[in-house]
């Protein structure tokens, strides 16, 4: 990520190094969250127990990084009295790491759901759920690219993808909730409803990240 510059004093140079370090930590956290989503996908659609079990310890690392970044941002703001543009960057990073942390939590929850689903045969609608998952995962990837490049336009374009995921959710919810003459257990249906709800929320958080990137660059809220 390229950092906006103002003065070129020694103090400013040190401050910019702090900002770059923070940004690297944010991107490292984003990479961990993205990996958790990949593992959750394997667990859900490939019945991969090892992938499901890898997420919980990784989520602890995500949470630790989240707390560290938040503390570092607060400390930097308190000690450095940043100018408006840098303050916007720091405050936005504090908000977007919260979005990343929530996406990581949802990935962990999806892994736990996948373990419960192992006992059941694949639901006829699992292919459609997987398509919704892939769209959501693509949104997260787009948000991280926008963040890495500080690409305002790329960040805003994620909202278009979110509309598609919202439509997926409505479509799948209606089909799952309105099934008739259900044979066998109802639990897998309830679990899939929970899966698509988590995906819808993950997509919302990815959209938030994109909009926060646009705010960092333009100073305008969208």
């Amino acid at each position: 990520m390229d950092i906006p510059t103002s003065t070129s004093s020694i103090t400013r140079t040190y401050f910019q190094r702090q900002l770059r370090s923070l940004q690297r930590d944010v991107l490292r956290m984003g990479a961990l969250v993205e990996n958790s989503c990949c593992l959750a996908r394997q667990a859900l659609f490939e019945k991969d127990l090892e992938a499901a079990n890898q997420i919980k310890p990784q989520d602890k690392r995500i949470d630790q990084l989240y707390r560290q970044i938040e503390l570092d941002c607060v400390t930097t703001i308190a000690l450095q009295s940043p100018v408006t543009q840098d303050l916007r960057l720091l405050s936005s990073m504090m908000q977007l790491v919260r979005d990343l942390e929530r996406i990581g939590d949802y990935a962990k929850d999806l892994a736990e759901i996948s373990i419960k689903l192992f006992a059941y045969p694949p639901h006829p609608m699992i292919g459609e759920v997987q398509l919704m998952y892939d769209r959501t995962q693509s949104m997260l990837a787009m948000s991280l690219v926008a963040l890495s490049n500080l690409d305002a336009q790329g960040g805003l374009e994620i909202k278009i993808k979110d509309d598609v995921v919202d439509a997926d959710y409505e479509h799948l919810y209606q089909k799952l909730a309105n099934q008739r003459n259900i044979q066998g257990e109802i639990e897998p249906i309830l679990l899939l409803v929970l899966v698509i709800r988590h995906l819808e929320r993950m997509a919302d958080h990815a959209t938030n990240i994109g909009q926060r990137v646009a705010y960092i660059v333009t100073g305008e809220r969208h």
Side-chain angles (χ1 to χ4, degrees):
M1 288 184 275
D2 295 326
I3 299 174
T5 58
S6 56
T7 62
S8 56
S9 64
I10 294 175
T11 302
R12 180 67 183 172
T13 300
Y14 173 72
F15 177 55
Q16 289 217 343
R17 282 202 297 268
Q18 286 182 300
L19 288 182
R20 287 193 179 95
S21 178
L22 274 167
Q23 289 173 308
R24 284 194 295 270
D25 285 343
V26 172
L27 291 174
R28 187 154 58 95
M29 181 181 173
L32 287 173
V33 170
E34 190 169 27
N35 183 248
S36 286
C37 291
C38 290
L39 291 171
R41 186 187 185 283
Q42 286 177 241
L44 270 171
F45 304 112
E46 299 173 26
K47 296 196 172 186
D48 187 337
L49 180 60
E50 183 179 349
N53 288 334
Q54 287 178 40
I55 292 182
K56 192 169 184 179
Q58 181 160 279
D59 189 62
K60 288 182 179 178
R61 293 199 296 274
I62 291 169
D63 289 344
Q64 289 169 352
L65 200 48
Y66 164 61
R67 288 191 292 270
Q68 176 201 314
I69 292 168
E70 194 170 51
L71 178 60
D72 288 346
C73 285
V74 170
T75 302
T76 302
I77 291 170
L79 296 180
Q80 298 292 340
S81 300
V83 297
T84 302
Q85 201 168 18
D86 293 329
L87 182 59
R88 191 165 72 228
L89 174 65
L90 287 163
S91 62
S92 296
M93 283 200 299
M94 288 176 65
Q95 292 173 323
L96 67 84
V97 292
R98 198 170 300 129
D99 288 306
L100 284 172
E101 191 268 341
R102 291 301 298 133
I103 293 173
D105 283 346
Y106 284 123
K108 181 184 69 174
D109 292 343
L110 288 170
E112 292 171 356
I113 292 170
S114 73
I115 293 172
K116 294 178 181 178
L117 284 169
F118 283 176
Y120 301 103
H123 190 276
M125 291 170 59
I126 195 67
E128 293 179 73
V129 175
Q130 184 171 337
L131 179 59
M132 182 182 179
Y133 196 110
D134 289 344
R135 285 173 172 154
T136 302
Q137 195 167 343
S138 173
M139 289 175 63
L140 174 60
M142 286 177 64
S143 73
L144 293 175
V145 170
L147 176 60
S148 178
N149 298 328
L150 285 183
D151 178 2
Q153 185 59 37
L156 292 176
E157 286 174 0
I158 298 170
K159 180 66 177 70
I160 300 170
K161 305 287 186 181
D162 187 49
D163 293 338
V164 178
V165 171
D166 286 343
D168 284 342
Y169 173 76
E170 291 298 330
H171 168 72
L172 287 168
Y173 180 83
Q174 290 301 322
K175 289 181 73 171
L176 288 166
N178 293 318
Q179 289 185 73
R180 298 288 183 268
N181 303 316
I182 297 171
Q183 302 294 319
E185 300 284 344
I186 195 171
E187 184 181 35
I189 297 171
L190 298 176
L191 291 173
L192 283 180
V193 169
L194 199 53
V195 167
I196 63 172
R197 177 57 181 160
H198 285 353
L199 291 176
E200 190 266 341
R201 294 299 299 131
M202 290 165 76
D204 285 345
H205 285 293
T207 302
N208 289 346
I209 294 170
Q211 291 179 332
R212 297 191 203 289
V213 170
Y215 175 65
I216 290 171
V217 177
T218 67
E220 298 177 2
R221 301 218 179 254
H222 298 271

